[in-house]
Amino acid sequence: QSAPRLHAIHVFQGWSQGMGIDRTGLSVLLGAISLRHGELRGLHMCELGNQRLTKSTMSTLLQLGYEPDTRDLWRVVQGIAETPSPAIAPAKKVFEAIGVRHTSLDVNAEDGALPVDLAAPANTTLAMSLRSTCNVVTNFGTTEHVGEGLDFAKGPSSLMARWAAQYEAFRNIHELARPAGGIMVHVLPLAGCWPRHGIFE
C-alpha cells in the first residue's frame, strides 16, 4: 500500500496586479483541478486570503457558467481607472455560484472569509474542522504577507518569528489538504518583481 499523495503546483509570476486571481492564475488552478479531479462541481476549495477574480478572467468565468451581476460590472467600471484588470467579484461568490464548496481564510474576515490567523497553528475548533477536508488549497499571493505584523526592527528574534509564521502558514496549507489527492496551488510574485510588497519575496 502506497503512502497518501499530495500534489503541489508552484507558479512564480514576474508581474502581479495585487490580491487577486488573474487569467494566468485561474488557468493554472483549473488545469490542476482538471488533471486531478475532472471538474469543479462538488469540490471543497480552501482559499488563503479573501481573493477576487480580475477582469482578465471574464471569458473563462462565462464559459464556466458564471453570470456577472450589476454589482460585478459596476466594480469593474469603478476599478478601471486604477488598474487595467480590476476585480470582478470575490472568488468565494464566483466559485460558490458554479458549484464549488468554498472556504476562505483571512484575518480580515471580509467577503465571507473565516477569521483565521495563518501564522498560528491551526488548532482552533474552526480550523480543526477543516483539517484534511479540502480537495484544493489555493495561495494566490497570501503567504508573502503572513507575519507582516511582526516588527522587524526588534532584531533577530523578530526575524525568527517571521520565519516561524511562514512555517505555520505552509504547515496549515498542508494540514488543510486531503491526504489522498489533495492539491495545493501556489501562485506568487517572482522575487524582486514587486519590491517592498509583502515581507517575503
Side-chain angles (χ1 to χ4, degrees), residues 70-139:
T70 308
R71 189 171 180 191
D72 297 338
L73 298 175
W74 182 242
R75 188 179 287 114
V76 171
V77 169
Q78 287 179 310
I80 204 81
E82 296 175 25
T83 177
S85 190
I88 293 175
K92 181 175 191 62
K93 175 183 174 185
V94 172
F95 286 118
E96 286 181 345
I98 58 176
V100 174
R101 193 166 61 113
H102 186 278
T103 304
S104 54
L105 307 176
D106 197 317
V107 291
N108 70 18
E110 292 178 6
D111 298 325
L114 301 175
V116 173
D117 182 1
L118 296 168
N123 57 10
T124 64
T125 303
L126 173 64
M128 291 300 285
S129 68
L130 296 171
R131 189 175 183 176
S132 300
T133 65
C134 305
N135 302 102
V136 182
V137 181
T138 65
N139 171 21

Side-chain angles (χ1 to χ4, degrees), residues 26-104:
L26 184 59
S27 176
V28 168
L29 176 60
L30 295 176
I33 290 170
S34 176
L35 287 172
R36 188 69 185 150
H37 297 288
E39 67 174 85
L40 285 167
R41 292 195 188 285
L43 288 182
H44 183 196
M45 179 187 300
C46 185
E47 166 187 279
L48 305 186
N50 59 316
Q51 302 295 332
R52 293 170 183 86
L53 287 143
T54 67
K55 181 177 74 71
S56 67
T57 64
M58 181 68 84
S59 61
T60 304
L61 296 180
L62 293 171
Q63 290 172 359
L64 292 171
Y66 180 73
E67 296 180 19
D69 59 26
T70 308
R71 189 171 180 191
D72 297 338
L73 298 175
W74 182 242
R75 188 179 287 114
V76 171
V77 169
Q78 287 179 310
I80 204 81
E82 296 175 25
T83 177
S85 190
I88 293 175
K92 181 175 191 62
K93 175 183 174 185
V94 172
F95 286 118
E96 286 181 345
I98 58 176
V100 174
R101 193 166 61 113
H102 186 278
T103 304
S104 54

